[in-house]
Amino acid sequence: MQNNSKAPSVSKPTTKQRLAIDRQKMSEQDPLIRNANFEEVNLGLPEKVALLEAERCLQCRDPKCVAGCPVMVDIPRFVALLSEGDLAGAAQSMLSDNALPGVTGRVCPQETQCEVLCIRGHKGLPVAIGYLERYVGDWARGHTGQQPLVLAPPSGRKVAVVGSGPGGLTAAGELVRRGHEVTVFEALHKPGGVLVYGIPEFRLPKNIVRAEVARLEEAGVKIVCNTVIGRTYTVQELRQQFDALFIANGAGLPVFMNVPGENLKGVYSANEYLTRVNLMAAYQFPRADTPVLKGTRIATIGGGNVAMDSARTAKRLGAATSTIVYRRTRKEMPARAEEIHHAEEEGIEFEFLVAPIEVMGNEKRWVEGLKCVRMQLGEPDASGRPRPVAVPGSEFVIPCDTVVVAVGTRANPLLTATCPELKLNKHGNIIVDENGMTSLPGVFAGGDIVRGAATVILAMGDGKRAARAMDEYLRLIK
Amino acid sequence: MHRILSKTPLSPNVTRLDVLAPRIAQIRLPGQFVIVRRGEGAERIPLTIADANPDAGSIALVIQAVGKSTRELTALEPGEAITDIAGPLGHATELVASGRALCIGGGVGTAVVHPIAQGLHARGVPVLSIIGGRSREWVIFESELRRLGQVIVCTDDGSYGRHGFVTDAARDILAQGGADVVYAVGPVPMMRAVVNLTRPLKVRTIVSLNPVMVDGTGMCGGCRVAVGNETKFACVDGPEFDGHLVDFDLLMDRLTTYREFEQQALTACEAGACKIGLA
C-alpha cells in the first residue's frame, strides 16, 4: 500500500509538533436553522483541516484505538496515509476494513469506542477518529474507481445474506471480497435496513447509504428487495440453494408500554414514525404519497438514540414543542452524548425522572395528553442502572397531540417461526456461538436478531466476524 | 418490476389487475396479502391476494379506487408494471376440514372471501356464499364463487338478487342452522353486524381486518388492533382473527387517522398532480 503512495515527500512532523496541534472542530448547521430542515447537521471537515487533524495522531507503537473498534479498522494506518496526503491510499486502507465508512463516520459512538482509548486522550483531547473516518469515506465516494476492491478468485460458493442493514451489508462486502457469490435478501423496497428506515436524513443522508450500497453491488453483491425470509422463502429453502447463510434481519417488532390509551390516534411507535418520515419521505407529503401526523406538541418516550431521532424529527416537521420523557436522569440515557447535545441545542425539552402511566384522549379519540408520574432512583437493577421508583401522588399531565413510543423493540418472529430448528433464547433472539454460527450448520446470524436492540457498529462487527467464520466454513465443506 | 398481464373492471370503482409475481403465485395461501408500492414516491399498501395462477405466474389484485394511491394503481394498463410487490404476508386462513362453511362478502371484501372459499372447496368443505353490493353493478366475483358452491346475491336497492343486506340473508341461513363456521369480509360495519348475528349462536366467525399498514412485516406496529383485549399486529398476527373478539370500534376509529391527508392528496390528484398515465 505504502508503495502506491502518491504523497509528496515531506518530512514527517515530530511528536512535539503533533502534540502542539489542537483537536479540530467540525462545523455544524446553526441549531435554530437546522431544526426546521432535514439537511445534515454535521458539515464535515475541509481537506486542510482533515489533514491537520490526522497529524495529531502520534502513530503509537502500541496503539489502543483499534481494539475499541468492533470492525477493527486499522486506524493508525489510514490516519497516517491521510496525514501524508495519500487520500487514495487512506481510502483503500479504510475500505479493506470497513465497507461503510460514510455511515460509521457519522453514526458510530466513537467517543465510547476508539476515541476513548486514544493515547492522546490521556492528556487533552483524543484524535477525532470519527471525523477522519467520515472524511475518508466521503472522499472515497467522490472518487469511485480510485480504490478498486481487490477480489479473491471465485470460490464457487454461494452465500445468502438475510437483511441489508449494516450487519448484512458488512458481511456481504467481506464475503464478496473473499471470492464468494453473495445474494442479499431485503424485505423492504430499498436496501439499507435501519440506515434507510430508522436513522434520519439529518444524521445520515440517504445518498450516502445509496452510494455505499452501490459500491458493494459493483463488487458483485446481488441485492434482491421485497423478499421476506420466513414468508417469500424459508430459511430451509435458502439452505438448499446456498452453501451458507448469514441472518441479520434486525430487531423488528416495536415494544409498547402497555398503558391505557396506547391505541389512540396520534400514538406512534418510533419505528412507524421514523419509517414514515425516512423511508417513505412523509416530510415531503403531498409530493410523497405517505402522510405522517404533524403534531404541534409531541412527547417522545425513551432515552436512546431512537428517541432523540424521533424528537428531533418532530421538531423539523414543525412541532412547537418536542419533549423527551425519560424515567431516569440524563446521566443514565443510553443515547450518544452528541445526540443529546444536538437535541438540546435544537430546542428539544427533557422531562427526566418521569414515566408515562396513561395516554389521554379527547372525545374523538385523538391524543390530548400524556399522564405521567415522577420517579426517583432506587437500587441498581439487572442492567446495573438505578431502578426508577414512582413517587406516590406525583401524577401530572404533559399536554400533547402526538406520542412517539421509543422504548425498544423485540425480535421479529417472521423468520424464526418458520424455522423451528434455529435455537432461540427466551426473548426470541437467535443463539449463536463465538463465531456467529447458529444451531444450524452453515447458518450464521448477527446484529439485533441476536443481540436485541444494539447499534449499527455492533451489527457490523457481527457481520465481519461471521463472514470470516463463514469463509473458513465454506473452504472446509465438501 | 411486476408487469400487469390483464386489467378487468369489476364494478364502477373496483378493478382487477392480474400481475406477474411468479414466486408469490406459487406459494400463496388463502387469506394472505401482499404489500404493493406502485413506483417512486408511492405509498406501500396492503392488498389481499384474490386469486393466483401458478402456471402463468400471476396473482390477482382487486383494488377499490378510493384515494390517490388506489386510483393510480387502477389507472395502470396491461404492459405497464408495479415496481414493488412483497409477500405473501400474514397468516393463511384457518380453514375447517369439515362442516358447512358460510362465506360472506361485502363490496370489495368479496374478492378477499374468494380465496377462502377456494381453499375450503379444495378441502371438500361445502361452501355457501352470500355476497352483496349497493346495486347490481357493484356485485363482484359472483361467477368465480358460483364455481365453488351456492351463491346468494343481495343488493341494497333490490336491483339484483335478494333485496337487502348480506346480513339479512345470513340471518336466515343461520336461523336454519345452515352454517358451522362463518368467514366474513367487507366494510367494518358489515363485519360487526355479522359477528353480532353469530355471537349468540356461538358460530365461529373469522374476519379479515384491513388497518393502515406501512411495512407489513411487523416492524411499524401501525396496524395494531385489539382482539380479546390484547393488542395484535394485523400484519404478522393476522390479518384474520376471531370476529367475536375483535374491537371493531377501535379498528373503525383508527382507519380515520389519515382522512384529512387522504382528502388533501385526492384534491391535489384531481387538480392534475396524479401520476395516472405516467407509470
Side-chain angles (χ1 to χ4, degrees):
Chain A
M1 199 75 60
Q2 270 89 346
N3 296 340
N4 297 337
S5 166
K6 291 175 191 74
S9 57
V10 286
S11 61
K12 286 187 181 172
T14 63
T15 300
K16 200 174 163 191
Q17 285 169 325
R18 291 179 191 273
L19 283 169
I21 308 167
D22 285 333
R23 180 173 160 126
Q24 302 299 300
K25 290 201 170 73
M26 187 181 288
S27 43
E28 297 171 354
Q29 267 201 80
D30 183 274
L32 299 180
I33 292 174
R34 73 180 190 235
N35 72 8
N37 69 50
F38 279 85
E39 311 285 311
E40 197 173 7
V41 170
N42 291 327
L43 300 173
L45 298 180
E47 179 171 331
K48 249 192 204 157
V49 178
L51 266 60
L52 190 63
E53 180 63 31
E55 250 174 46
R56 293 184 68 234
C57 173
L58 303 178
Q59 293 294 312
C60 307
R61 210 167 298 153
D62 181 19
K64 304 291 181 208
C65 49
V66 182
C69 175
V71 296
M72 303 283 278
V73 169
D74 188 339
I75 295 163
R77 184 169 72 154
F78 97 79
V79 175
L81 290 162
L82 178 59
S83 75
E84 288 160 18
D86 181 2
L87 291 159
Q92 182 101 27
S93 171
M94 169 65 77
L95 288 169
S96 69
D97 293 329
N98 174 5
L100 311 170
V103 171
T104 50
R106 288 172 169 80
V107 304
C108 255
Q110 289 94 5
E111 66 280 4
T112 61
Q113 297 182 156
C114 50
E115 291 183 18
V116 74
L117 298 173
C118 174
I119 288 166
R120 278 212 66 168
H122 293 181
K123 279 186 192 167
L125 295 171
V127 174
I129 302 167
Y131 292 180
L132 299 181
E133 178 179 37
R134 170 181 162 147
Y135 182 79
V136 169
D138 288 355
W139 186 90
R141 224 178 35 259
H143 298 79
T144 48
Q146 293 196 32
Q147 337 85 44
L149 207 57
V150 186
L151 304 182
S155 68
R157 299 291 185 201
K158 289 170 71 183
V159 181
V161 173
V162 180
S164 68
L169 291 176
T170 299
E174 293 287 324
L175 290 160
V176 80
R177 273 195 320 136
R178 289 168 163 81
H180 308 301
E181 196 184 315
V182 183
T183 306
V184 180
F185 294 101
E186 167 56 47
L188 295 172
H189 58 268
K190 260 187 214 168
V194 71
L195 308 175
V196 296
Y197 77 73
I199 303 178
E201 181 77 15
F202 57 84
R203 214 148 69 76
L204 178 62
K206 299 309 152 228
N207 62 4
I208 286 160
V209 182
R210 253 197 316 277
E212 301 207 323
V213 168
R215 182 163 51 222
L216 291 171
E217 287 180 304
E218 275 160 35
V221 173
K222 195 173 149 205
I223 299 183
V224 184
C225 288
N226 298 313
T227 307
V228 185
I229 305 306
R231 288 282 183 263
T232 319
Y233 298 94
T234 62
V235 167
Q236 296 295 17
E237 283 172 313
L238 292 186
R239 285 184 86 202
Q240 287 161 18
Q241 295 172 43
F242 296 90
D243 300 303
L245 263 64
F246 180 60
I247 300 171
N249 59 337
L253 276 61
V255 173
F256 286 89
M257 297 170 294
N258 222 353
V259 301
E262 259 180 316
N263 290 334
L264 290 168
K265 300 187 297 275
V267 182
Y268 280 117
S269 73
N271 264 6
E272 180 179 5
Y273 190 65
L274 292 173
T275 298
R276 283 181 178 272
V277 179
N278 299 330
L279 178 71
M280 306 310 292
Y283 64 96
Q284 296 176 342
F285 183 89
R287 263 192 302 134
D289 291 346
T290 304
V292 68
L293 298 172
K294 293 181 186 171
T296 51
R297 288 195 284 192
I298 303 216
T300 301
I301 299 151
N305 288 326
V306 175
M308 300 302 136
D309 285 346
S310 302
R312 295 171 70 194
T313 294
K315 195 82 188 172
R316 283 162 171 79
L317 288 173
T321 61
S322 177
T323 309
I324 298 253
V325 178
Y326 182 55
R327 62 196 184 130
R328 293 185 170 97
T329 71
R330 185 188 160 119
K331 209 172 77 202
E332 286 84 21
M333 276 197 154
R336 283 185 73 186
E338 182 184 44
E339 305 310 328
I340 301 171
H341 172 66
H342 278 162
E344 284 173 333
E345 281 187 336
E346 289 168 13
I348 308 301
E349 289 161 31
F350 290 79
E351 283 279 5
F352 292 115
L353 288 169
V354 165
I357 49 174
E358 184 184 348
V359 185
M360 299 164 68
N362 64 18
E363 70 289 351
K364 296 231 163 112
R365 294 166 60 150
W366 287 95
V367 171
E368 65 173 10
L370 187 64
K371 193 175 194 184
C372 297
V373 64
R374 304 243 175 239
M375 310 296 279
Q376 57 192 18
L377 294 182
E379 294 300 305
D381 65 8
S383 74
R385 294 177 299 178
R387 183 192 301 276
V389 185
V391 178
S394 65
E395 288 82 3
F396 70 106
V397 174
I398 299 173
C400 59
D401 50 25
T402 308
V403 170
V404 179
V405 183
V407 297
T409 56
R410 59 197 166 93
N412 191 326
L414 273 191
L415 180 149
T416 50
T418 55
C419 187
E421 299 85 353
L422 274 177
K423 286 219 173 78
L424 310 178
N425 68 14
K426 63 175 178 184
H427 303 296
N429 296 107
I430 299 176
I431 296 174
V432 297
D433 66 15
E434 66 281 5
N435 292 315
M437 190 149 91
T438 67
S439 53
L440 279 179
V443 179
F444 296 72
D448 280 3
I449 190 64
V450 169
R451 296 173 175 272
T455 61
V456 165
I457 189 68
L458 285 174
M460 290 175 63
D462 289 352
K464 189 159 177 174
R465 183 185 56 163
R468 287 182 177 167
M470 289 169 83
D471 182 56
E472 268 174 46
Y473 171 86
L474 289 165
R475 293 185 194 285
L476 285 174
I477 51 170
K478 281 176 281 193
Chain B
M1 293 297 256
H2 300 266
R3 200 154 48 83
I4 290 157
L5 302 179
S6 68
K7 173 176 175 174
T8 320
L10 301 182
S11 88
N13 75 350
V14 176
T15 303
R16 171 179 173 146
L17 297 178
D18 285 87
V19 182
L20 205 58
R23 174 67 187 171
I24 299 170
Q26 210 174 56
I27 61 167
R28 65 95 200 189
L29 295 167
Q32 290 190 301
F33 67 95
V34 288
I35 290 274
V36 170
R37 178 175 168 269
R38 183 190 43 75
E40 203 50 46
E43 277 185 288
R44 292 170 65 94
I45 57 174
L47 293 169
T48 304
I49 305 162
D51 201 352
N53 181 341
D55 298 327
S58 66
I59 57 171
L61 303 176
V62 175
I63 306 158
Q64 184 167 27
V66 284
K68 175 172 189 275
S69 297
T70 47
R71 280 195 193 191
E72 288 178 354
L73 273 172
T74 54
L76 293 171
E77 294 296 333
E80 294 181 316
I82 293 172
T83 307
D84 303 290
I85 298 182
L89 299 168
H91 286 298
T93 304
E94 167 200 315
L95 295 171
V96 294
S98 60
R100 293 150 305 161
L102 177 60
C103 291
I104 307 173
V108 71
T110 311
V112 180
V113 151
H114 173 253
I116 300 173
Q118 270 182 328
L120 292 164
H121 180 72
R123 291 180 151 221
V125 175
V127 176
L128 167 61
S129 300
I130 302 175
I131 62 174
R134 265 177 263 169
S135 61
R136 180 173 199 143
E137 55 185 353
W138 295 89
V139 175
I140 66 169
F141 267 77
E142 183 190 348
S143 60
E144 287 87 345
L145 285 165
R146 284 205 189 279
R147 276 181 232 130
L148 308 170
Q150 197 197 333
V151 177
I152 299 170
V153 180
C154 308
T155 50
D156 300 358
D157 65 356
S159 58
Y160 183 50
R162 181 180 162 140
H163 189 169
F165 298 129
V166 288
T167 39
D168 301 329
R171 187 179 292 113
D172 293 350
I173 300 293
L174 288 162
Q176 297 157 21
D180 301 304
V181 61
V182 172
Y183 298 87
V185 191
V188 179
M190 182 213 98
M191 292 192 283
R192 179 167 36 202
V194 170
V195 301
N196 285 342
L197 284 178
T198 59
R199 188 178 287 115
L201 302 169
K202 298 197 170 58
V203 176
R204 182 157 176 80
T205 302
I206 309 285
V207 295
S208 178
L209 307 186
N210 60 335
V212 176
M213 285 186 195
V214 184
D215 63 291
T217 65
M219 198 185 79
C220 84
C223 65
R224 55 198 191 274
V225 291
V227 181
N229 288 324
E230 251 186 276
T231 295
K232 299 276 185 191
F233 292 177
C235 67
V236 290
D237 299 322
E240 296 179 357
F241 294 98
D242 177 346
H244 293 156
L245 300 178
V246 169
D247 181 344
F248 288 104
D249 289 342
L250 177 71
L251 175 66
M252 192 111 114
D253 182 55
R254 286 183 62 83
L255 280 169
T256 65
T257 306
Y258 298 99
R259 190 165 281 169
E260 256 178 57
F261 292 87
E262 284 154 14
Q263 199 47 53
Q264 195 188 338
L266 207 54
T267 309
C269 183
E270 278 159 357
C274 256
K275 293 172 197 82
I276 289 174
L278 297 174

